[in-house]
Amino acid sequence: MISPFRDLSLITQTVAKEIGIDIEILEGGLEYGLAAINQLTGPEVDVFISRGGTADLIARTYQIPVIGLNTGLYDIIECCEEARKHSRNIAITSFAKPFVGVRLLEKAMDVTISEIIFHDTLSLERQIEALAAEGDHCVVGGGNSIDAAQKFGLRGVFLRASRETIHEALVRAAEVAHLRREEKRKNYRLKAILENAYDGIVAIDSNGEIEIFNSAAERLLSIEAAKAIGKNVDTVIPNTGLSEVLKTGHPKIGEFQDVGNVRIVTNRVPFRDDTEVMGAVATFQDVSRVIQVEHRLRREMTKSSFKAKYKLEDIVGQSEVIAQLKDIGRSFAKSDLSVFIYGPSGSGKEMFAQGIHDASMRMLGPFVAINCAALPPTLLESELFGYDEGAFTGAKRKGKLGLFELAHGGTVFLDEIDALPIELQGRLLRVLQEKEVLRVGGETIIPVNIRVIAATNRSPLELISGNRMREDLYYRLNVLYLELPRLRDRKEDIPLLCHHFLPNHKAEQLSGVLAEMMPYLCSYAWPGNVRELQNFCQRLSFYQENYLLSKDVQQLLRQIAPTIIAEQTEQHEKKDLASRVQAYETEIIEAAVKEAGSMRKAAEQLGVGKSTVSRKLKQMQPD
């Protein structure tokens, strides 16, 4: 409160205490009141209370609400009644504007009332001085008026504010202060939101002048907010498009713009009251940040389900060929070129693919494995490339990401690539060449950053000659080539693999049995390769756990792996037949030589060359 005189200060303090309102009171009227305000320190003032000319002067000087202690008609009547005791000529002072009803009051009280309307202390004193020269008057007014009256020898009656008037003013001031604080809190919250938003935000009013220009907009556009706010948007950002949105009232969503050297994606929408467009707002982001968020989203979506489980070190084998292949895999991991893996079924093609991914710069990205033979051709396209909303009956409402999109930033492993239909091979070739994906039913090209590793169990020449793979796709995939051996070509790894596939305690318990079996295992062809050996170890472990093991190794093998015994029996039979043929052949040749008397004549009788007879006879001789 700015109080022009001490009595008003005291009564206001009393009323404020009674109703529980904390108030700070400064004393001073008119210019002196402003001087007192200028000395204030501490928190910003929410509302001023004052009266008369002082209240009016504060309101014109500061952008802060002022509650006036407006003197009521009852207060004026009461003061005029007191002034009539001193003189029937009464002067009422009023700042800037006259009191209403003075003439009616003059008739009712049978007095002469003069009005002194002033705008500052100097004009007040001059008018009271002129009034004193006219004769006896009693002045009714505020503190400055009473001081001036006494200065020029006139009586004065202080125009008091009643307790009711003060009470009402205090209550109104408390309400205004509360509303102001709430408004400030809202403004602070809004400012905090705008300044901490990662999106650039620019808002304009109905005249196209910039009202909001947040920190992100400053950073993205390299324009200071202080130089932008209050200016026409077209002069600050010539191609923002906000003026067009303001004019048409139609939003523009998800458009790309070049602002200076920055590529941004922006949304521009109008805002209106019931009917009229009141302004427009644009939110925008640097495209590079949108891409970063997309990458992070894809990683979050894929990190739990698309991970490489194996490292190159996890591939079991101590043979020279496996050691060389793991070294080649490590060198392939240093590159980002496509890899083509050829190997028989069960030889570990996916383990090598995962190991190469894990050793590469893409190790933190997803590893997406696709068995092209496991999905029907009708589903394969939508699984690989994804689809947009409404692409076909039964499609998900928001569409679906394809596996190439899910593999963004990582590796795609295409197993049994030869099972991919020829028509899809053309689309795959475009993904490899352009690093772009077009969803089924979609119109938007989606960039993808992927490395492709393809695998097959058919020889590459067979794939091309049999028209199972497009030649251009084959050569696009076969940049780095890895050929995996059959298990029978690295038999020295069989004992190590057996101990790896058996649990530690089982491997110890079965060590004796395995040692007896090993000649049979190492002589077997293993057409199913490592996968077949793993299955054999699992059966062996099951039989041991259920006490079904036979003490005779051959009998045990007949139980758990009859193909091993069958193959060995067949080999023995073939060997036995060969020995019988050789013995019969020996008998015939010896008889012919004995009968003919020479190798030449014997050869003529048998219809073969002499060298053949000589070679056969040498083979028959014991070492």
Side-chain angles (χ1 to χ4, degrees):
M1 180 177 181
I2 306 302
S3 172
F5 48 89
R6 173 56 57 89
D7 288 349
L8 180 60
S9 303
L10 294 175
I11 192 171
T12 301
Q13 190 70 57
T14 301
V15 174
K17 188 175 181 180
E18 289 174 357
I19 60 178
I21 293 177
D22 292 326
I23 184 169
E24 182 177 0
I25 299 178
L26 304 176
E27 292 186 359
L30 298 178
E31 298 88 349
Y32 302 104
L34 296 184
I37 292 173
N38 292 332
Q39 298 297 319
L40 278 174
T41 59
E44 182 183 354
V45 175
D46 290 309
V47 60
F48 285 112
I49 302 174
S50 194
R51 61 170 279 168
T54 306
D56 189 78
L57 193 56
I58 294 171
R60 287 190 283 111
T61 307
Y62 301 99
Q63 299 296 316
I64 297 173
V66 179
I67 301 299
L69 280 171
N70 299 319
T71 306
L73 181 60
Y74 177 79
D75 297 326
I76 296 173
I77 293 173
E78 189 177 58
C79 290
C80 286
E81 183 66 33
E82 184 177 344
R84 189 171 59 173
K85 296 176 182 177
H86 302 290
S87 174
R88 302 190 70 85
N89 296 316
I90 300 172
I92 299 178
T93 63
S94 174
F95 185 84
K97 55 186 178 181
F99 286 110
V100 177
V102 168
R103 300 279 76 86
L104 183 62
L105 180 62
E106 188 178 46
K107 292 180 179 179
M109 297 188 69
D110 190 25
V111 293
T112 301
I113 299 178
S114 303
E115 286 187 88
I116 296 177
I117 299 172
F118 65 96
H119 296 86
D120 52 46
T121 305
L122 183 60
S123 67
L124 174 65
E125 289 186 352
R126 285 177 177 173
Q127 292 185 68
I128 290 180
E129 182 180 9
L131 189 67
E134 293 178 4
D136 184 39
H137 282 80
C138 183
V139 177
V140 176
N144 291 326
S145 299
I146 303 305
D147 291 341
Q150 291 175 350
K151 180 178 180 180
F152 295 106
L154 298 178
R155 290 180 175 274
V157 173
F158 182 71
L159 184 57
R160 297 176 296 275
S162 67
R163 292 176 61 89
E164 290 75 13
T165 300
I166 295 171
H167 181 281
E168 180 185 352
L170 287 171
V171 170
R172 286 176 55 210
E175 291 173 351
V176 171
H178 174 72
L179 293 174
R180 285 262 294 172
R181 283 193 289 270
E182 283 300 309
E183 190 66 27
K184 285 179 187 177
R185 277 193 283 269
K186 289 180 182 178
N187 289 336
Y188 288 146
R189 282 195 295 270
L190 177 59
K191 184 177 180 181
I193 291 169
L194 292 174
E195 293 306 309
N196 290 286
Y198 284 106
D199 287 8
I201 301 174
V202 176
I204 60 173
D205 62 16
S206 57
N207 297 317
E209 292 182 356
I210 297 174
E211 290 185 311
I212 295 174
F213 200 94
N214 73 343
S215 297
E218 287 185 301
R219 184 174 62 255
L220 288 168
L221 304 179
S222 300
I223 300 172
E224 294 180 17
K227 296 180 179 179
I229 292 175
K231 295 182 180 169
N232 189 279
V233 68
D234 290 333
T235 64
V236 178
I237 317 170
N239 62 339
T240 183
L242 273 175
S243 295
E244 183 180 350
V245 172
L246 185 66
K247 185 185 298 182
T248 64
H250 299 305
K252 292 187 175 184
I253 305 297
E255 294 190 351
F256 292 99
Q257 285 182 268
D258 290 314
V259 180
N261 297 323
V262 181
R263 181 81 163 169
I264 63 172
V265 58
T266 180
N267 300 314
R268 290 160 291 183
V269 295
F271 55 88
R272 49 169 61 92
D273 57 11
D274 292 338
T275 56
E276 184 180 357
V277 175
M278 303 298 293
V281 61
T283 61
F284 49 89
Q285 283 188 339
D286 189 338
V287 169
S288 63
R289 176 171 174 78
V290 176
I291 293 172
Q292 289 173 3
V293 172
E294 180 201 11
H295 290 182
R296 189 158 58 248
L297 175 62
R298 288 182 177 180
R299 285 197 298 271
E300 288 296 320
M301 293 176 68
T302 59
K303 69 180 181 181
S304 59
S305 55
F306 298 115
K307 285 186 176 180
K309 299 177 182 178
Y310 300 107
K311 305 177 184 294
L312 289 170
E313 293 77 13
D314 295 330
I315 298 172
V316 178
Q318 56 188 7
S319 59
E320 184 178 352
V321 64
I322 287 297
Q324 289 177 349
L325 287 171
K326 288 198 276 190
D327 287 340
I328 293 171
R330 292 185 188 96
S331 66
F332 284 3
K334 297 176 183 177
S335 167
D336 217 22
L337 298 173
S338 299
V339 180
F340 194 89
I341 302 176
Y342 164 57
S345 179
S347 58
K349 296 186 289 297
E350 183 167 350
M351 285 192 73
F352 269 94
Q354 291 192 24
I356 292 170
H357 168 80
D358 183 78
S360 73
M361 296 295 290
R362 296 175 177 269
M363 61 182 297
L364 297 178
F367 178 87
V368 179
I370 307 161
N371 189 321
C372 298
L375 292 171
T378 53
L379 291 180
L380 196 55
E381 182 179 24
S382 60
E383 288 296 317
L384 289 174
F385 301 98
Y387 56 80
D388 272 352
E389 179 180 353
F392 49 82
T393 303
K396 291 183 179 179
R397 182 177 178 184
K398 294 184 179 179
K400 180 182 178 182
L401 294 175
L403 293 175
F404 288 128
E405 290 182 68
L406 291 174
H408 184 74
T411 303
V412 175
F413 175 58
L414 299 172
D415 197 10
E416 298 192 61
I417 183 68
D418 51 291
L420 193 68
I422 291 293
E423 59 270 18
L424 291 187
Q425 290 184 21
R427 291 195 65 183
L428 173 59
L429 181 62
R430 178 167 183 82
V431 173
L432 295 174
Q433 290 176 337
E434 306 298 332
K435 302 296 185 184
E436 295 174 345
V437 169
L438 178 64
R439 292 181 183 174
V440 176
E443 298 178 353
T444 303
I445 298 295
I446 302 168
V448 291
N449 174 17
I450 57 174
R451 183 188 196 177
V452 175
I453 301 177
T456 181
N457 55 16
R458 297 176 180 269
S459 70
L461 292 177
E462 181 185 346
L463 295 179
I464 296 174
S465 61
N467 293 322
R468 297 183 64 87
M469 178 178 282
R470 289 174 54 134
E471 192 171 350
D472 51 1
L473 175 62
Y474 169 72
Y475 288 115
R476 184 66 183 80
L477 289 170
N478 190 16
V479 182
L480 301 177
Y481 181 74
L482 196 66
E483 185 171 337
L484 305 186
R486 294 176 172 84
L487 181 57
R488 67 172 178 243
D489 296 328
R490 56 179 187 114
K491 291 182 178 179
E492 60 266 50
D493 289 333
I494 291 176
L496 192 62
L497 286 165
C498 287
H499 283 84
H500 174 74
F501 291 137
L502 289 168
N504 290 334
H505 66 286
K506 294 286 181 69
E508 293 177 6
Q509 294 171 6
L510 293 168
S511 58
V513 175
L514 281 173
E516 291 185 56
M517 286 182 173
M518 204 53 64
Y520 296 93
L521 301 182
C522 290
S523 64
Y524 180 54
W526 296 106
N529 295 291
V530 178
R531 187 179 294 118
E532 185 182 2
L533 178 60
Q534 183 179 15
N535 294 342
F536 166 80
C537 292
Q538 290 173 345
R539 285 197 300 274
L540 179 63
S541 175
F542 171 80
Y543 271 72
Q544 189 273 340
E545 188 174 324
N546 291 277
Y547 305 102
L548 298 174
L549 289 180
S550 172
K551 292 183 178 180
D552 180 72
V553 171
Q554 286 196 3
Q555 182 62 32
L556 176 59
L557 286 172
R558 286 190 184 94
Q559 286 179 295
I560 64 175
T563 53
I564 295 177
I565 295 298
E567 185 181 273
Q568 187 129 12
T569 301
E570 185 180 347
Q571 289 174 357
H572 282 304
E573 289 175 352
K574 287 180 180 178
K575 192 178 293 184
D576 187 51
L577 177 61
S579 63
R580 289 183 183 185
V581 170
Q582 186 178 2
Y584 182 62
E585 191 179 61
T586 301
E587 185 180 338
I588 292 174
I589 292 174
E590 285 178 341
V593 171
K594 186 176 180 180
E595 182 181 340
S598 69
M599 285 191 289
R600 182 180 60 79
K601 291 182 179 179
E604 290 176 355
Q605 290 179 5
L606 295 171
V608 296
K610 179 184 174 182
S611 60
T612 301
V613 174
S614 175
R615 178 170 52 80
K616 293 288 184 181
L617 288 173
K618 286 181 181 179
Q619 289 176 351
M620 298 171 194
Q621 295 175 0
D623 294 336

